[in-house]
Amino acid sequence: MKNPIAERIVDFLKNYPPFNSLNYQELSHIASEVKVLYLEKGKILFQIGEACHDSFYIVASGAIGLSVTSDAEETIIDKCDEGDILGLRPFFAKNNYLMTAKAREESIVYAIPIHIFQPYVLSNPDVMNFLLESFASNTRNPYDKEHRGKLISENIIYKEQQADIQYFQSIQYSKEPITASPEAIVRDIAQMMTDKLIGSVIITKDDFPIGIVTDKDLRSKIATGHFEITTTAAKIMTSPVVTVPEDLSLAEAQVYMLKYNVDYLCVTEDGSDKSPVRGIISENDLVVAQANNPGVLIKEVKRAQSAKDLKRIREKLSELIETSVTKDIPLSHIMNISGEINTAIIRRAIDLAILEMGSPPARFAWLSIGSQGRKEQLLLTDQDSFLVFEDVSQDKYRDVKDYFLRLARRTTSTLEKVGYFLSPDGFVSSNMIWCKSLTDWIKQYNNWINTPGESSEAINTIFFDYEIAFGETSIEEAITEIIFKNVKGNKLFFDYLGNDALKKPPPLGFFRQFLVEEEGENKDLFDIKTRALTPLIDAGRLLVLHQNIKGINNTYMRFKQLAIVDPRHSELFLNCAEAFLTLSEFRTVEGLKNDNSGQFINLEELSKTDKVKLKNCFIPIKEIQELIKSRFKLTYFS
């Protein structure tokens, strides 16, 4: 006898992925086990912290809102409509839900039991890939172009870039696994697991893995009396053990665990069971890896109570950057997310200083400048900033400035402890020169722009690359307004900036050899920052100011925008954008390898291909400088 409700469910499911990859018979089997849930408006389907359900859900009608709670405030971050899937967490993680699902209107939801659906996931690659991408990228439908990139994250960054990084994120796992022989007595293995606080022991023969004994095996086979505790490991081990290669991504590990329905993966030298054991990945390792995604790091920053806490988070960010570079995530994506987390760390450092000192006596803005102002700070380099406080009466000025200098000293000290060393040029808010009122800052910019080179105080160009990290956006907007008002048609200013941008010609000698340092501790090394990146940074800054392009500080994005507003030279600008990313990647890799700023590169360690790739980046540098010379009627020696 036909089930009309199940037939209606089949007719519905077949229109939406991943169900449209299944045949009628498979859909009928699933539909017969589906529970139909009616939710009144405001009814909660599941909530943050709740244990995962044994089903996942698809919206049949109505709308389900997804929300997170941060600082006691509930924030709606997305809405699931007809055909959207939610609640996939139980497929891939055993920890609790990280968001709340609540009906925004009267809704009907189909609850699909995971144990019923799982066999079709394991046997159908299209279904597997859909669910994996959905969970790893936090999207409800990875193939929905309209909503692509609208992440259901758990905090602040809802961007497509986060999906890429999280999807390819590597896993930190135990690289010193405990092993035993097949003849080992189970009692000894159980004692070993208790002493070492571990949940598994790999059984090896001739150093190769042949099985695994887990705490689940002890419960189901020993505790139930099926085997004596004096039996050997060979009798109760799970065999064969699932082996995987080193440097496995989070997404790949999820696939293996789902496919083989296991809680542990054995890492071997070549990924097979015919090579030595190198580590063990547990389900808990996946949970920890998911906790290191950008949204979670932002939340951790907001909860940090000390420089030590912030330092630990910055170390996690460094790991995320290194993994992302290794996995070939686009560097522009990594820069964007790194910039957001760096800004959050700065903001929290200021928060902590204010908590110690009390409320500020006036409104203010803390602006990051230099690489962080451009959201290009991937490595732990120096901190550059300035502070602007609103105008106050003359009799209050000294006390107000004194408060902000003390605030800045506390903040920069905290950031030093995190790992951001002070600017060697003194460009920090704790320097009394760079902590002053809005009116004083307007005078400062007026002098830089209208009388460049006429005083002993030359233009500090990094002060034109800024981003607010804390405080009143209206103050930042006032600075921006005065800058663009003064630079418009200002030939003297652009002559000065243009000549400054030409100070570093392309870094190749007459015979196309690299220009390296000739003396000092970096002798024979190539200064990629000064000789290659700085010319592009200077050119991008000059041209966006000349084109009146506001609000874009990142060098890569500046050239992308220039390609739009000046189509005659779009190819050159796009080449500059790509060259900047390539050079930045060289520097980042060097810095991560040597745990430094990556400024100086040993060319002898580069492959011939990399040297060619590096030289190719110098072509757009030469061409953009030629354009600057032509546009502003300059020479290298003006």
Side-chain angles (χ1 to χ4, degrees), residues 224-269:
T224 57
H226 291 148
F227 292 89
E228 295 292 331
I229 199 166
T230 54
T231 194
T232 61
K235 296 285 182 64
I236 72 160
M237 68 182 184
T238 300
S239 182
V241 64
V242 179
T243 56
V244 295
E246 298 180 84
D247 195 25
L248 198 69
S249 73
L250 170 60
E252 291 166 327
Q254 289 170 334
V255 167
Y256 280 110
M257 285 192 180
L258 180 63
K259 182 175 182 179
Y260 296 105
N261 194 27
V262 296
D263 298 328
Y264 294 91
L265 301 172
C266 177
V267 181
T268 62
E269 196 170 89

Side-chain angles (χ1 to χ4, degrees), residues 132-383:
L132 183 61
E133 284 192 46
S134 294
F135 181 74
S137 69
N138 286 334
T139 59
R140 54 183 179 272
N141 182 348
Y143 309 137
D144 184 347
K145 293 181 180 179
E146 180 183 352
H147 298 110
R148 183 69 166 163
K150 294 183 181 178
L151 296 194
I152 304 171
S153 183
E154 66 165 292
N155 201 1
I156 291 174
I157 305 173
Y158 312 124
K159 297 176 182 175
E160 188 178 82
Q161 292 94 323
Q162 181 184 339
D164 294 331
I165 290 178
Q166 190 175 346
Y167 189 77
F168 293 105
Q169 183 178 335
S170 287
I171 308 164
Q172 299 297 316
Y173 55 86
S174 172
K175 292 182 171 60
E176 297 181 355
I178 305 301
T179 62
S181 71
E183 294 78 26
I185 303 301
V186 171
R187 179 194 293 113
D188 297 335
I189 289 177
Q191 188 62 54
M192 192 188 310
M193 290 168 66
T194 301
D195 294 342
K196 301 285 186 181
L197 299 178
I198 55 174
S200 66
V201 170
I202 299 173
I203 308 304
T204 61
K205 185 175 183 179
D206 299 328
D207 293 329
F208 296 164
I210 61 170
I212 185 170
V213 174
T214 69
D215 46 11
K216 185 186 292 185
D217 291 318
L218 296 180
R219 290 194 306 271
S220 64
K221 298 173 184 176
I222 302 298
T224 57
H226 291 148
F227 292 89
E228 295 292 331
I229 199 166
T230 54
T231 194
T232 61
K235 296 285 182 64
I236 72 160
M237 68 182 184
T238 300
S239 182
V241 64
V242 179
T243 56
V244 295
E246 298 180 84
D247 195 25
L248 198 69
S249 73
L250 170 60
E252 291 166 327
Q254 289 170 334
V255 167
Y256 280 110
M257 285 192 180
L258 180 63
K259 182 175 182 179
Y260 296 105
N261 194 27
V262 296
D263 298 328
Y264 294 91
L265 301 172
C266 177
V267 181
T268 62
E269 196 170 89
D270 66 4
S272 76
D273 60 2
K274 303 300 181 187
S275 65
V277 176
R278 289 289 178 261
I280 184 79
I281 299 174
S282 70
E283 189 175 54
N284 184 63
D285 294 326
L286 300 194
V287 172
V288 171
Q290 291 163 31
N292 283 348
N293 72 55
V296 175
L297 291 184
I298 290 279
K299 178 176 281 188
E300 287 187 25
V301 170
K302 295 180 74 175
R303 293 172 176 169
Q305 296 299 316
S306 65
K308 184 179 179 180
D309 293 340
L310 292 174
K311 181 179 176 65
R312 177 178 51 79
I313 296 164
R314 185 56 181 79
E315 288 168 352
K316 287 185 179 181
L317 173 59
S318 295
E319 292 172 5
L320 184 61
I321 291 170
E322 184 170 7
T323 297
S324 303
V325 170
T326 303
K327 293 293 183 180
D328 292 326
I329 302 297
L331 204 67
S332 57
H333 294 186
I334 304 172
M335 282 180 175
N336 189 43
I337 289 174
S338 175
E340 293 288 347
I341 297 175
N342 281 326
T343 296
I345 290 173
I346 295 168
R347 186 179 297 122
R348 187 55 182 164
I350 299 169
D351 273 333
L352 293 174
I354 291 174
L355 286 171
E356 290 181 15
M357 294 177 56
S359 300
R363 294 181 300 169
F364 74 102
W366 181 293
L367 294 114
S368 298
I369 53 176
S371 59
Q372 176 55 21
R374 296 188 300 272
K375 283 192 175 177
E376 296 165 3
Q377 190 174 41
L378 296 176
L379 302 166
L380 268 172
T381 56
D382 56 328
Q383 49 169 307

Side-chain angles (χ1 to χ4, degrees), residues 433-444:
I433 301 173
W434 310 124
C435 174
K436 48 195 174 188
S437 70
L438 178 58
T439 292
D440 287 343
W441 270 111
I442 289 173
K443 289 177 182 177
Q444 178 73 74

Side-chain angles (χ1 to χ4, degrees), residues 44 66-76 100 102:
I44 291 176
L66 295 164
S67 64
V68 297
T69 303
S70 181
D71 294 342
E73 291 185 10
E74 184 179 31
T75 304
I76 299 292
T100 295
K102 184 190 298 183

